[in-house]
Amino acid sequence: MKQIVILGRGGQGAVTSSQVLAVAAFENGKHSQAFPNFGVERMGAPVKSYCRIDEKPINLRSHVYEADYAIILDQTLAECFDEKVKDGGLIIVNSNRLPKEIPISSKAKIVCVDITKIALGIIGKPFVNIIALGAFSALTKEISLQALEKAVQKQIGSKGSIAEKNIAALKKVYEASK
Amino acid sequence: MAEKEKAEKVVISGADAIACAVKLCRPKVLPMYPITPSTLVPERLSEFVFNGEMKAEMIHVESEHSAASALYGAYATGVRGFTATASQGLALMHEILPIISASRFPAVMAVANRTLSGPLNIWNDHSDAVSERDQGWIQLYCESAQEAFDTTIMAYKIAETERVSLPVMVCIDGFALSHVYEPVQIEGQSKVDAFLPPYKPHNFLDTSDPKTFGAVAFPNSFFEFHEAEEMAMQEALKVIPKVNEEFGKAFGRKYGDGLVELVEMKNAEYALIGMGTLVGTSRVVVEEMRKQGEKVGLIKLKCLRPFPKDEILQACKKLKGLAVIDRHASLGYEGALTIDLKAALKDEKVKVEGFVAGLGGRDIDVKRLRAAVETIMKGEKGYWLK
């Protein structure tokens, strides 16, 4: 089983992000589970959401205590990052900085992708929650880009410019992360 | 919009799963109080009604007290109804709950279990539903979103079986299941229709067979009303397994015998017992400890009322120790489940210890549950698993 923690700020869509990830895993024929670290969410406050992906049905229903992967949607959250990520795991940070400049001490690998820049370029707004999963797909290979595209269409609709732009940006983030 | 005939597997939340099941059960009246502490269940149902996917009257009442009262009213006219609530909302319904059950209305309600405030807290535990344990409602607890979907459909069938004619509360852990997205098999309308035929009321305001509802029951008759309810509860202990079997045949999924599910209990010396999502995490604990050679099992209690005493006795006969995980505390004594189990197993050699856990959204993880098992294996006393 792989466990993923997604950190964002209230309003950034970390919860939606974990849901899209769960749908994508399902599209890939896997079992999945997505859930927010239940809070009284406020705009701008740190928000945590979890996802589990496995080949077999998932019985575990506690919080995630040691993640395989972390996705940080807002680089300012790196400063207060206190999640345990497995040694040899991966932390993806939406940042224009270099990994060594990210103030996280962990034996997991840190990768920075400037997702906000791609979002502003293609979507025109800093919507990073869904397209960040492109980096996850490229770097972890846990789910395919095709499954992600399907999941985006399912969750935010198959028509309309928002879905189209998200998918275009998703692909760009995927390419940029390879 | 055309009815969905085809079954499909989708990734949805526990609350969504209940709403989808309710839609397929075709209730006609949906009284809802659309505000916190409600859940996504009424929100989804209101979308279904708005989209024309569901033909039902949604009544936006002014409180949960009114929601329960309108549900009573719906059943008094002889139609299937549904409502959903949680926490303080259920507490506000308290006054109406025994009136629905004593009127023998087979209502179904979903409760996303959340604690009762004091201090203010919106998170999960079983305090809300367990506090309503004695009001004549059958209480079924669910472990997964799929089970929430399936149990909702079964709930109508159980409630509407004439010899039961009691309301059913379908309980899902607030947040810990209501907000968890996972794959759920949504069944097609015709299959659900075949399993759950249109509602044929036995007890309603019928001009061709006039009855009085809400009349005073004097001391010379009140007792008999409750005695009849108790007999119906005992009938439910037979009907629930039957409905569970029928559901299994129709849809290929069932949940133990409908009352309890036994996991690795055959040669178990020690076992965990609990309700709701903590059962899932307990499965992981049992698997882990079995691999290490420990004879540990698990009893999932799906039905709290009526209490399946015989099934529990049978399952616990050979046990040395039983760790009861209560997501609730009866302040001044022990958790409700612990009290029930100690009473049920009083003549058995098994040592029963209670562990209060998960109050107000505190996580129940593998470490805590394992600690409970290790405590009973050492013959030590239960405690609050903070």
Side-chain angles (χ1 to χ4, degrees), chain B residues 227-241:
Chain B
E227 190 185 29
E229 275 184 78
E230 176 55 30
M231 284 158 69
M233 277 287 183
Q234 296 309 318
E235 284 300 315
L237 282 175
K238 297 174 212 154
V239 170
I240 294 167

mmCIF file of all heavy atoms in Angstrom, chain B residues 227-241:
data_model
loop_
_atom_site.group_PDB
_atom_site.id
_atom_site.type_symbol
_atom_site.label_atom_id
_atom_site.label_comp_id
_atom_site.label_asym_id
_atom_site.label_seq_id
_atom_site.Cartn_x
_atom_site.Cartn_y
_atom_site.Cartn_z
ATOM 1 N N GLU B 227 -43.992 -3.379 25.281
ATOM 2 C CA GLU B 227 -43.796 -4.827 25.219
ATOM 3 C C GLU B 227 -43.847 -5.295 23.751
ATOM 4 O O GLU B 227 -43.039 -6.121 23.329
ATOM 5 C CB GLU B 227 -44.884 -5.526 26.031
ATOM 6 C CG GLU B 227 -44.617 -6.999 26.219
ATOM 7 C CD GLU B 227 -45.768 -7.705 26.931
ATOM 8 O OE1 GLU B 227 -46.924 -7.264 26.800
ATOM 9 O OE2 GLU B 227 -45.489 -8.693 27.611
ATOM 10 N N ALA B 228 -44.779 -4.717 22.999
ATOM 11 C CA ALA B 228 -44.902 -5.074 21.580
ATOM 12 C C ALA B 228 -43.650 -4.660 20.815
ATOM 13 O O ALA B 228 -43.162 -5.381 19.934
ATOM 14 C CB ALA B 228 -46.144 -4.409 20.981
ATOM 15 N N GLU B 229 -43.103 -3.497 21.149
ATOM 16 C CA GLU B 229 -41.870 -3.042 20.501
ATOM 17 C C GLU B 229 -40.714 -3.981 20.828
ATOM 18 O O GLU B 229 -39.878 -4.289 19.968
ATOM 19 C CB GLU B 229 -41.503 -1.638 20.989
ATOM 20 C CG GLU B 229 -42.180 -0.519 20.240
ATOM 21 C CD GLU B 229 -41.674 0.827 20.725
ATOM 22 O OE1 GLU B 229 -40.582 1.243 20.333
ATOM 23 O OE2 GLU B 229 -42.382 1.461 21.537
ATOM 24 N N GLU B 230 -40.657 -4.408 22.077
ATOM 25 C CA GLU B 230 -39.589 -5.329 22.483
ATOM 26 C C GLU B 230 -39.717 -6.645 21.709
ATOM 27 O O GLU B 230 -38.714 -7.191 21.235
ATOM 28 C CB GLU B 230 -39.653 -5.571 23.998
ATOM 29 C CG GLU B 230 -38.649 -6.589 24.523
ATOM 30 C CD GLU B 230 -37.206 -6.275 24.150
ATOM 31 O OE1 GLU B 230 -36.856 -5.090 24.005
ATOM 32 O OE2 GLU B 230 -36.420 -7.240 23.980
ATOM 33 N N MET B 231 -40.935 -7.116 21.544
ATOM 34 C CA MET B 231 -41.138 -8.350 20.773
ATOM 35 C C MET B 231 -40.713 -8.144 19.320
ATOM 36 O O MET B 231 -40.102 -9.028 18.706
ATOM 37 C CB MET B 231 -42.608 -8.786 20.856
ATOM 38 C CG MET B 231 -42.951 -9.426 22.205
ATOM 39 S SD MET B 231 -44.714 -9.381 22.588
ATOM 40 C CE MET B 231 -45.354 -10.530 21.396
ATOM 41 N N ALA B 232 -40.987 -6.961 18.798
ATOM 42 C CA ALA B 232 -40.586 -6.650 17.420
ATOM 43 C C ALA B 232 -39.058 -6.606 17.310
ATOM 44 O O ALA B 232 -38.479 -7.054 16.307
ATOM 45 C CB ALA B 232 -41.194 -5.322 16.983
ATOM 46 N N MET B 233 -38.402 -6.090 18.328
ATOM 47 C CA MET B 233 -36.932 -6.068 18.352
ATOM 48 C C MET B 233 -36.391 -7.496 18.312
ATOM 49 O O MET B 233 -35.431 -7.787 17.596
ATOM 50 C CB MET B 233 -36.434 -5.369 19.626
ATOM 51 C CG MET B 233 -36.393 -3.854 19.519
ATOM 52 S SD MET B 233 -35.025 -3.319 18.463
ATOM 53 C CE MET B 233 -35.185 -1.540 18.620
ATOM 54 N N GLN B 234 -37.019 -8.384 19.069
ATOM 55 C CA GLN B 234 -36.574 -9.786 19.070
ATOM 56 C C GLN B 234 -36.817 -10.420 17.697
ATOM 57 O O GLN B 234 -36.004 -11.212 17.235
ATOM 58 C CB GLN B 234 -37.291 -10.580 20.171
ATOM 59 C CG GLN B 234 -36.956 -10.105 21.594
ATOM 60 C CD GLN B 234 -35.457 -9.993 21.863
ATOM 61 O OE1 GLN B 234 -34.685 -10.855 21.472
ATOM 62 N NE2 GLN B 234 -35.049 -8.906 22.514
ATOM 63 N N GLU B 235 -37.918 -10.031 17.047
ATOM 64 C CA GLU B 235 -38.177 -10.496 15.678
ATOM 65 C C GLU B 235 -37.096 -9.991 14.730
ATOM 66 O O GLU B 235 -36.652 -10.694 13.831
ATOM 67 C CB GLU B 235 -39.555 -10.026 15.192
ATOM 68 C CG GLU B 235 -40.726 -10.794 15.777
ATOM 69 C CD GLU B 235 -40.678 -12.280 15.443
ATOM 70 O OE1 GLU B 235 -40.415 -12.634 14.270
ATOM 71 O OE2 GLU B 235 -40.882 -13.084 16.368
ATOM 72 N N ALA B 236 -36.699 -8.743 14.961
ATOM 73 C CA ALA B 236 -35.671 -8.139 14.093
ATOM 74 C C ALA B 236 -34.382 -8.957 14.130
ATOM 75 O O ALA B 236 -33.658 -9.042 13.132
ATOM 76 C CB ALA B 236 -35.406 -6.696 14.507
ATOM 77 N N LEU B 237 -34.094 -9.575 15.272
ATOM 78 C CA LEU B 237 -32.885 -10.409 15.370
ATOM 79 C C LEU B 237 -32.943 -11.586 14.396
ATOM 80 O O LEU B 237 -31.914 -12.127 14.009
ATOM 81 C CB LEU B 237 -32.722 -10.948 16.799
ATOM 82 C CG LEU B 237 -32.162 -9.966 17.832
ATOM 83 C CD1 LEU B 237 -32.170 -10.600 19.214
ATOM 84 C CD2 LEU B 237 -30.745 -9.521 17.476
ATOM 85 N N LYS B 238 -34.163 -11.996 14.029
ATOM 86 C CA LYS B 238 -34.299 -13.072 13.037
ATOM 87 C C LYS B 238 -34.387 -12.493 11.626
ATOM 88 O O LYS B 238 -33.910 -13.094 10.670
ATOM 89 C CB LYS B 238 -35.573 -13.887 13.327
ATOM 90 C CG LYS B 238 -35.541 -14.585 14.675
ATOM 91 C CD LYS B 238 -36.893 -15.246 14.928
ATOM 92 C CE LYS B 238 -37.245 -15.258 16.403
ATOM 93 N NZ LYS B 238 -38.689 -15.289 16.636
ATOM 94 N N VAL B 239 -35.034 -11.346 11.502
ATOM 95 C CA VAL B 239 -35.262 -10.758 10.173
ATOM 96 C C VAL B 239 -33.963 -10.189 9.578
ATOM 97 O O VAL B 239 -33.709 -10.341 8.379
ATOM 98 C CB VAL B 239 -36.368 -9.673 10.248
ATOM 99 C CG1 VAL B 239 -36.452 -8.891 8.946
ATOM 100 C CG2 VAL B 239 -37.712 -10.315 10.585
ATOM 101 N N ILE B 240 -33.136 -9.556 10.403
ATOM 102 C CA ILE B 240 -31.905 -8.930 9.881
ATOM 103 C C ILE B 240 -31.004 -9.962 9.174
ATOM 104 O O ILE B 240 -30.594 -9.726 8.032
ATOM 105 C CB ILE B 240 -31.153 -8.145 10.993
ATOM 106 C CG1 ILE B 240 -32.013 -6.952 11.447
ATOM 107 C CG2 ILE B 240 -29.784 -7.664 10.507
ATOM 108 C CD1 ILE B 240 -31.537 -6.277 12.733
ATOM 109 N N PRO B 241 -30.734 -11.131 9.787
ATOM 110 C CA PRO B 241 -29.917 -12.131 9.069
ATOM 111 C C PRO B 241 -30.573 -12.601 7.774
ATOM 112 O O PRO B 241 -29.884 -12.854 6.782
ATOM 113 C CB PRO B 241 -29.804 -13.289 10.062
ATOM 114 C CG PRO B 241 -30.009 -12.670 11.404
ATOM 115 C CD PRO B 241 -30.997 -11.566 11.181
#
